[in-house]
Each structure stands twice: as C-alpha cells, then as structure tokens.
C-alpha cells in the first residue's frame, strides 16, 4: 500500500501546536494509508505526543525555529523566514516530499506561500480559496473566498471549473450545480465583472451552470458551488459566521430571559445538538486553495484537533481522487 | 400647523393596493401633521377605504391606469408609462406637490425614476440606497445596498457622509460610528476600490470613521453606518435576510423533531417573541434613497400595512429634521 504523504504546519493557528499534533495523531489512527510530516518546534511537539498511541512509522517531525504571525507582511515573511514551520512545509511540497499541506496559520502567508513556493498549475491564472459552508440541504462550496479581491471574468470562469471538479470528487455529487453570486437572478443583472462572467459560465458545457443567484438564496443549498470574486466571497463567508453566532446568541439570550423559557431551553437542548453539529466548521476540515501544483488546505485559525484531523483526511481524499490531474485535464 | 405632504405609490408591492392603503390610514391615525396623496387605481383604493375611520381632509387619491412590474426595463418603463402610479407619484414630488415618496414597487424602477424624474441633489455624484438592518445592539444603516453596483471611491465617500447625516437625524445618535466593509480590519487591506476609499473617509473630520470592518463584525453593531458599494451591500442585505430565515427555520425544525423538544418549544415561545420583533423588517419602514432633491423611500416588496405605516412616518421624521438641507450643507 502506497502511503499518501501530507505535511502539517504544526505552529500555525491559535491552539498550536497542540491542536495540530492531536489532530495528526487522530488522523493516523483513523486512516491507514497516510504518512504525516510535522514541521515545528520538535521539543514542544514531542511533549504533546508523549504517552499517545499511534503508528510512529508513519509520522516524522522536522524541527523549525521560526513562526509567521498574522501581523507581518505575508510576502516578506515567506521570503525572509526560511526556517518558519510554514515555509519549510511549503518547500517539502515543492520538492515532492509531500503531496499536500495543511496550515491554520496566517491566511495571507498561506496564500502567498502557496503561489510563491509551490507555484500555480500551468494554465491557471489565479489560485482561488474555496470554503465549504453548511446550507439547509448539505454543503456549499464558496469560491473564491478571499484569495483574489480584484478579479477578472476569466479568473471567475476558472474558479467555477476548479470548484466544480473539487465538489464532484470530494463531496461525491455528479455534475454539481454552479451559480454566480449576483444582485438579482435575471441573466442581465450585475456589476461589470459579473455581467462579463455570465456568458463564460453559460457557454461552458462542462459546467452545470444554473445561472445567477441572489445572496438570499445561498443558504437554501439550491447550488452546490457558488462563484464570486474574493472580496464578495470573503464578505459571504464571514457574514455567515458572524450572523450564525449572533442569531444563536440572541436565541440563547431569549431562552435565558425567564424561568419558564429556561426550562423550555433544557427540553430542546438535545434536539438542537444535531443542528449545532451541522453548523460546526470543525466538521468540514479546511478551505482548499485550488489551482496550485499541489493541494494546500487553509484550516481555520481557531481549529481544534477535530478540525485538523478532518482537514488531513480532506487532503487524502483529494489525493485519492487525483483532483489536480482532473483540473489539469479540464483546463488544458 | 403645516402639513407634511407625502405621496404613496399605492400600486407597487406584492400586496398592493391593500397594504399601502391600510398603511396610509394607519399613518394618518398615528400622526396629525401629515397629508397623504395616493396614486393608483381609484375604485380599488376606495373599496379598501370603505368603512375605515380617518381624517378624509388629509388624504387625496390621484387615479392612475398603469402599473410598472418587476419584469420590465426600469428606464423604459419610467419613460413610457406616463400614467403609472409610480411615475405620477414621482412627478408630484418633482413639481413640489409633495416632499417625499414611498413605493414598494420594482427597485430598479424606483431607483431609475428617482434619478430621472426627481433628480440628483446638486453636488451628489450618485444617489445611494440605505437600508436599516437589525444588529445585536440596535440598527445598522447599510449604504449603498444596491443602487450603484459599480462604484468609485468618491461615491463611497459621499455615501458615508449622507448615511452619517441620515443616521444622526433619523435614529437620533450624535456622531454615528462609520465603518468601511473590508476583507480584513487592517488599514491597508482591501480591493482597489476600498483601498482608495479608506483615506477619503479617514481624512474627513466630519465623519466619525472607525476604520475597516470585516463582515463577521457587522451583526455586533459596533458601527452605526456601514459603507460599501451597491453590489457588496446587496449581498450583505440579502444574505442577512436569507440566513436569518434559514437559521430560524433550522431552530424550529429541531424543536419540532421530538415530543420533549416540542414542549420545550412552547415554553420558550413567549421569550422568543421580542427577538422576532427585533428581526422583523416591518418595524423599520423602508430603504431611503439618499442624494435626490427629495426623499424617496423604497419599501420592501412584501411590505404589509405596518411596514408601510412605518415608511410613511420615516418620511415625516426626515422632513421634520430637514435632512436634505443638512446633506446639502455638508456636501457643498
């Protein structure tokens, strides 16, 4: 059995390296055919590994001395901090020592490093960050959600193609429905970018394009893949997170406001659990950066061990399904 | 006492003319110093008015024979349908027969008609649509939420100024906090439009500008006025509506899933009411189109009588506070 090699930036994220190391152990114990390389502070990593049961032959630690923070310039940090856990991880992928990378570090550094070190896939104009968000029926892939804040129509066309292939392979839905975010559902609606993108998607017979979609309809799950520029995608992703937290907070506050409703709250607690699980980002791994020579997954900054485990397994599925080869075939 | 004259397009909206006429009667009975002119199908309007108690000296009906629908080209409809309820209403304002207009009709037609017939205020580059959305602490004014899908930095600067003056006068908060929607909160973040807008807002000492804001933080209510281009604003407005409906639907579904949680649901019902009221758009009137020679309020297409009543009272407050004069002073 050939092992899939995945490298993990163990020092990126709010709860690093604990969440990353525990997530790696969890992934190894869940899945037999992965081999994990952790870049980071070896003594700290070993401290967390102490007493844990896992297949030691499938894990390797590469000691690094630097960490890239959220506050520094991503491009400069990638260029200067040669011994940063993220930079070493990126070079392992570039040098074909691993097939995919997971990091919960600075989004800017992960995006910049992916392009600068690993490099764009031939034919791809701009790599795009996809993100899986829960909807009423299942999951929506939102692409781009932040890598390209100033986009062009043919970038968005490529985002649609890459997103569609990713969704089909990772979520196992044939011909996923693709929609373009717009300020109205009519064909002629939109700003200049969206108006020029529409015919490109409409005329591409490889896509199951269902047309324009107002933001109101995103949560219904009518489309599997939602295409937009990175600025709009970032607004959608973050507003979804913020509003879900805010509304559930308001529900909780209402419930805690009287004794009667507090009792009611206890009675609905169990039923609410499955809903909370559906809204929990840790269930869904991380955001894939698509269009590079290898997969890079940006995990949420506040990822816990479970989120990291799922991000690692997401990489394995990506490799198993040869998603990058399929993207290359479709785009050349 | 001088009466404030407000004209109502009685034929626009899903429940026209019933909701509009009932809202007008409600407003007349709530407020003594308004005079309402309704444009629309007179027999139908009279049918609804039959048996209702209100001050008949403060209502006037102007019979019209045409209606503009959501499906037609807004600009062509405004030009050709001279006897449409909306067009007649617009000309009443242009000819100074009324000081403000409320319509729940086609957004495109209201926007186009406002600019084509009533006209921009001198010095205003582009009128902008504001919208009040509930947040954790109160209300946020989102501007622009759809009038200008392709904007320029100095348009956004004017939106910020108009929004700030509107908020201060209508919501009675001195020096409302203004934020710019961005994909990060750092000063240098953003797409080209936002990067160029930032210094304009930062250097304007008339504004209480608190910087960039990620969409995640919009629901917290940290800013009173949220500035963005019309495409992004439309996404924020509609996603907020869609997600609130979707999440509350999920909560309801969870509650209905078992007998125990159904009982719990009954116990929390009363406490949830005040939350629902806060999220109910009918409480907040309509979206003001700012930057025209007179106020135009776009009421929600599905407005009921209460929403219409509130939109009419919103016009009265606008006139009372001479908001347009204040905008003119600030912008000249």
């Amino acid at each position: 059995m050939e092992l899939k090699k995945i490298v993990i930036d163990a020092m990126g994220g709010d709860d690093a390296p604990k969440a990353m190391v525990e997530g790696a152990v969890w992934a190894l114990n869940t899945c037999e055919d992965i081999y994990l390389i952790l870049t980071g502070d070896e003594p700290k990593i070993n401290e967390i590994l102490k007493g844990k049961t896992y297949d030691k032959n499938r894990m390797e630690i590469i000691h690094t001395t630097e960490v890239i923070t959220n506050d520094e310039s991503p491009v400069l940090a990638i260029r200067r901090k040669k011994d940063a856990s993220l930079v070493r991880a990126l070079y392992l992928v570039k040098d074909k020592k691993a097939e995919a990378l997971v990091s919960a570090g600075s989004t800017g550094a992960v995006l910049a490093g992916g392009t600068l070190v690993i490099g764009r896939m031939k034919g791809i104009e701009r790599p795009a960050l996809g993100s899986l968000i829960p909807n009423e029926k299942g999951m929506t892939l939102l692409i781009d959600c932040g890598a390209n804040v100033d986009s062009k129509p043919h970038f968005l066309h490529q985002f649609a193609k890459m997103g569609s292939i990713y969704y089909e392979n990772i979520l196992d839905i044939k011909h996923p429905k693709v929609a373009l975010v717009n300020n109205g559902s009519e064909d002629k609606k939109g700003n200049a970018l969206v108006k020029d993108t529409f015919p490109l998607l409409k005329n591409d017979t490889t896509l199951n394009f269902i047309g324009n979609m107002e933001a109101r309809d995103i949560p219904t799950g009518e489309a599997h893949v939602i295409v937009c520029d990175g600025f709009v995608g970032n607004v959608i992703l973050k507003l979804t997170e913020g509003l879900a937290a805010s509304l559930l907070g308001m529900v909780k506050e209402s419930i805690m406001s009287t004794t009667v409703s507090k009792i009611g709250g206890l009675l609905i607690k169990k039923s609410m659990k499955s809903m909370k699980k559906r809204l929990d980002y840790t269930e869904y791994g991380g955001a894939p950066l698509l269009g590079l020579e290898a997969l890079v997954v940006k995990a949420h900054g506040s990822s816990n061990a479970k989120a990291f485990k799922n991000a690692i397994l997401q990489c394995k599925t990506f490799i198993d399904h040869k998603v990058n080869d399929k993207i290359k075939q479709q785009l050349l």
Side-chain angles (χ1 to χ4, degrees), chain A:
Chain A
M1 184 171 55
E2 202 192 336
L3 298 178
K4 277 92 189 174
K5 286 193 177 173
I6 299 161
V7 60
I8 291 156
D9 166 13
M11 307 309 283
D14 303 342
D15 195 19
K18 188 167 176 286
M20 289 76 226
V21 176
E22 289 178 356
V25 167
W26 193 342
L28 283 177
N29 290 333
T30 307
C31 179
E32 282 191 346
D33 60 347
I34 55 172
Y35 179 98
L36 303 180
I37 309 172
L38 276 62
T39 57
D41 185 319
E42 194 166 15
K44 279 191 188 165
I45 293 171
N46 279 328
E47 186 63 34
I48 298 156
L49 285 171
K50 206 183 284 174
K52 293 211 161 41
T53 312
Y54 62 98
D55 181 353
K56 292 186 175 57
N57 294 321
R58 291 192 285 125
M59 188 194 282
E60 182 183 340
I61 301 163
I62 292 184
H63 181 64
T64 60
T65 56
E66 292 178 294
V67 174
I68 295 176
T69 66
N70 281 319
D71 313 320
E72 49 196 326
S73 155
V75 174
L76 287 183
I78 294 291
R79 289 205 174 122
R80 288 181 187 164
K81 288 191 165 172
K82 292 292 178 204
D83 202 37
S85 56
L86 173 62
V87 176
R88 291 288 295 276
L90 288 162
Y91 277 97
L92 284 166
V93 176
K94 180 192 165 72
D95 299 339
K96 313 272 187 218
K97 301 277 172 17
E99 293 181 74
L101 183 162
V102 185
S103 174
S106 147
T107 306
V110 172
L111 296 178
T115 307
L116 288 171
V117 180
I118 298 177
R120 276 180 287 147
M121 192 186 281
K122 207 186 146 188
I124 291 288
E125 295 273 356
R126 292 285 188 287
L129 196 62
S131 194
L132 286 168
I133 52 176
N135 64 48
E136 288 170 23
K137 294 172 186 161
M139 300 300 293
T140 304
L141 180 73
L142 181 70
I143 185 168
D144 172 32
C145 63
N148 308 277
V149 292
D150 290 295
S151 288
K152 291 185 175 165
H154 58 290
F155 300 175
L156 265 65
H157 184 198
Q158 290 194 333
F159 301 167
K161 287 172 95 83
M162 293 192 291
S164 184
I165 295 165
Y166 183 87
Y167 201 99
E168 179 156 331
N169 285 278
I170 305 294
L171 284 101
D172 203 21
I173 300 271
K174 284 266 163 240
H175 309 299
K177 292 189 241 175
V178 177
L180 183 62
V181 178
N182 207 336
N183 62 322
S185 55
E186 305 87 348
D187 287 8
K188 303 279 175 195
K189 273 273 182 180
N191 58 11
L193 172 65
V194 164
K195 278 182 181 164
D196 289 347
T197 304
F198 186 89
L200 301 180
L201 304 189
K202 178 111 181 161
N203 296 330
D204 184 337
T205 53
T206 67
L207 291 174
N208 181 9
F209 180 55
I210 61 166
N212 289 324
M213 180 173 271
E214 289 192 276
R216 184 200 320 270
D217 297 320
I218 296 174
T220 63
E222 196 46 54
H224 299 107
V225 179
I226 299 275
V227 179
C228 53
D229 79 70
F231 191 88
V232 169
N234 190 274
V235 165
I236 294 171
L237 180 65
K238 290 184 178 163
L239 187 60
T240 301
E241 279 184 26
L243 262 179
S246 181
L247 285 168
L248 294 180
M250 282 188 196
V251 170
K252 201 172 172 187
E253 198 183 290
S254 300
I255 289 172
M256 298 308 282
S257 66
T258 70
T259 310
V260 172
S261 58
K262 273 184 196 166
I263 297 166
L266 290 174
L267 299 178
I268 64 169
K269 208 166 183 177
K270 206 175 151 191
S271 297
M272 294 283 282
K273 262 199 180 157
S274 70
M275 174 190 159
K276 282 200 176 147
K277 193 177 167 186
R278 271 175 66 193
L279 295 176
D280 180 7
Y281 72 90
T282 64
E283 295 289 328
Y284 310 112
L289 180 59
L290 299 173
L292 299 176
E293 276 294 341
L295 177 65
V296 171
V297 170
K298 167 65 182 85
H300 203 288
S302 57
S303 287
N304 57 18
K306 188 186 181 189
F308 234 80
K309 180 260 294 178
N310 285 329
I312 295 167
L313 298 181
Q314 186 182 2
C315 290
K316 178 192 136 49
T317 311
F318 189 93
I319 299 165
D320 281 348
H321 285 257
K322 301 183 194 304
V323 176
N324 256 4
D325 290 345
K326 289 173 184 167
I327 291 176
K328 273 181 195 166
Q329 281 164 22
Q330 277 273 341
L331 281 159
L332 287 184

